[in-house]
Amino acid sequence: MMTVGNRSGFLALIIGALLVWSTASPAHHGWGWATDEEFEITGTITDVRLGNPHGEVTIEVDGAEWVIEVGQPWRNKRAGLKDELLSVGREITVHGHRSARKGQRLVKAERVVIDGEDYNLYPGRDS
């Protein structure tokens, strides 16, 4: 049987867990960290990390590095974006939304163009 003291401790634990989850989650998932403005950038891939929760491709643009969030493995596959297309040395154009944090060179890709071919990661969104 749960006593009043145990229930209070359990409730505090649940509230604490929800607070941690709610503050950590937007920092990494969704679109809340990005501007609403459409953004396009073209550069050369210098580093690739694919997998969950989403892939990241680093590109060089005019001597500066930008991190591009591409989709989760299933999203890339659905768009026809094969891992080998995201290889070091390849030029890529990214359409999406950049970070709202001033000076942060981070973009969430909606659509990428490689070798003239479009790969729409979020077909329900205009990009």
Side-chain angles (χ1 to χ4, degrees):
M1 176 173 260
M2 193 175 273
T3 66
V4 173
N6 287 345
R7 268 190 261 170
S8 296
F10 181 72
L11 183 57
L13 178 66
I14 295 296
I15 290 171
L18 288 172
L19 284 172
V20 168
W21 176 79
S22 69
T23 57
S25 184
H28 200 76
H29 299 283
W31 297 81
W33 58 267
T35 65
D36 289 334
E37 183 181 326
E38 290 288 328
F39 182 74
E40 178 182 302
I41 192 167
T42 300
T44 302
I45 298 173
T46 60
D47 192 34
V48 179
R49 187 201 59 77
L50 300 176
N52 287 310
H54 54 76
E56 290 183 352
V57 176
T58 303
I59 64 173
E60 184 178 320
V61 181
D62 297 327
E65 287 192 338
W66 286 76
V67 175
I68 310 301
E69 286 189 2
V70 293
Q72 304 91 332
W74 65 267
R75 185 177 301 279
N76 293 344
K77 182 178 180 180
R78 182 186 69 189
L81 184 59
K82 297 177 181 171
D83 291 356
E84 54 268 18
L85 292 171
L86 298 170
S87 59
V88 171
R90 191 178 294 262
E91 184 176 273
I92 184 172
T93 297
V94 178
H95 299 266
H97 299 268
R98 69 185 297 175
S99 173
R101 185 183 297 168
K102 186 177 177 157
Q104 185 177 36
R105 292 187 299 265
L106 176 63
V107 179
K108 182 153 184 150
E110 289 179 320
R111 179 172 58 93
V112 299
V113 180
I114 300 172
D115 295 335
E117 198 70 37
D118 279 334
Y119 301 94
N120 194 347
L121 302 172
Y122 294 90
R125 295 178 65 102
D126 293 331
S127 62

